[in-house]
């Protein structure tokens, strides 16, 4: 049975800077260090309709596994994307990301519906922990850019 997790993160950086960061596949590796290793990520920002095939190795894995991300929606004006993902033992990972202005900074909201079959009760808490860690790394990386 699928589970949905929701992570809200606040940043001192403006919403446009956080949105640009969220759309940049090259930021996944540094944000996920220690949780997931990637191979074959694209270097261009995400666009609607894009299908990306690459490989992932979760921290508990020994080998890289195929993974696919389909960008079902990318709305720059609303600073929102919806991705449908699968692979590496994940049946379905539907991720909705929104970036909202908040005062002088911004708030990023990640909602992820996860279906990993019988492993869902294990994968969902690990995903929550990974997204919380990513938020801390993102804040550090954004402040290093002067954003």
């Amino acid at each position: 049975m699928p589970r949905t997790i929701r992570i809200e993160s606040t940043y001192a950086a403006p919403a446009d800077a956080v949105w640009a960061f969220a759309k940049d596949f090259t930021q996944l590796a540094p944000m996920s260090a220690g949780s997931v290793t990637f191979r074959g990520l694209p270097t261009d920002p995400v666009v609607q309709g894009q299908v990306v095939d690459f490989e992932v190795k979760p921290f508990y894995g020994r080998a890289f596994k195929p993974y696919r991300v389909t960008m079902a929606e990318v709305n720059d004006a609303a600073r929102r994307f919806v991705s449908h993902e699968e692979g590496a033992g994940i049946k379905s990972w539907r991720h909705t990301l929104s970036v909202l202005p908040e005062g002088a900074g911004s708030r990023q909201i990640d909602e992820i519906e996860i279906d990993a079959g019988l492993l869902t009760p294990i994968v969902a808490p690990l995903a929550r922990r990974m997204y919380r860690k990513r938020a801390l790394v993102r804040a550090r990386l954004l402040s290093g850019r002067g954003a």
Side-chain angles (χ1 to χ4, degrees):
M1 172 167 249
R3 289 207 182 157
T4 300
I5 62 171
R6 180 181 169 103
I7 309 295
E8 292 193 29
S9 309
T10 56
Y11 300 99
D16 286 340
V18 175
W19 173 241
F21 195 92
K23 293 190 341 172
D24 185 350
F25 270 116
T26 65
Q27 297 305 320
L28 278 175
M31 284 192 312
S32 302
S35 300
V36 179
T37 304
F38 298 93
R39 187 162 61 189
L41 285 172
T43 56
D44 296 329
V46 300
V47 294
Q48 187 162 320
Q50 180 180 25
V51 178
V52 180
D53 292 303
F54 53 93
E55 294 178 304
V56 298
K57 182 168 61 169
F59 73 92
Y60 54 82
R62 294 186 181 152
F64 282 93
K65 305 278 185 190
Y67 200 78
R68 172 171 279 183
V69 174
T70 302
M71 298 308 298
E73 176 190 332
V74 178
N75 184 329
D76 288 320
R79 294 185 205 91
R80 179 179 191 270
F81 74 59
V82 178
S83 67
H84 299 171
E85 307 175 25
E86 62 185 334
I90 304 296
K91 291 180 178 184
S92 174
W93 184 287
R94 298 191 183 269
H95 181 189
T96 301
L97 179 145
S98 302
V99 178
L100 308 168
E102 185 168 279
S106 58
R107 175 179 299 273
Q108 179 173 311
I109 302 168
D110 292 281
E111 287 189 355
I112 306 105
E113 181 185 284
I114 301 166
D115 183 355
L118 294 174
L119 294 177
T120 301
I122 296 167
V123 172
L126 290 173
R128 180 182 302 281
R129 188 174 80 200
M130 179 180 71
Y131 276 83
R132 285 183 175 149
K133 179 184 173 202
R134 282 182 181 179
L136 296 173
V137 174
R138 183 181 295 113
R140 188 182 79 241
L141 292 172
L142 283 165
S143 69
R145 291 180 172 185

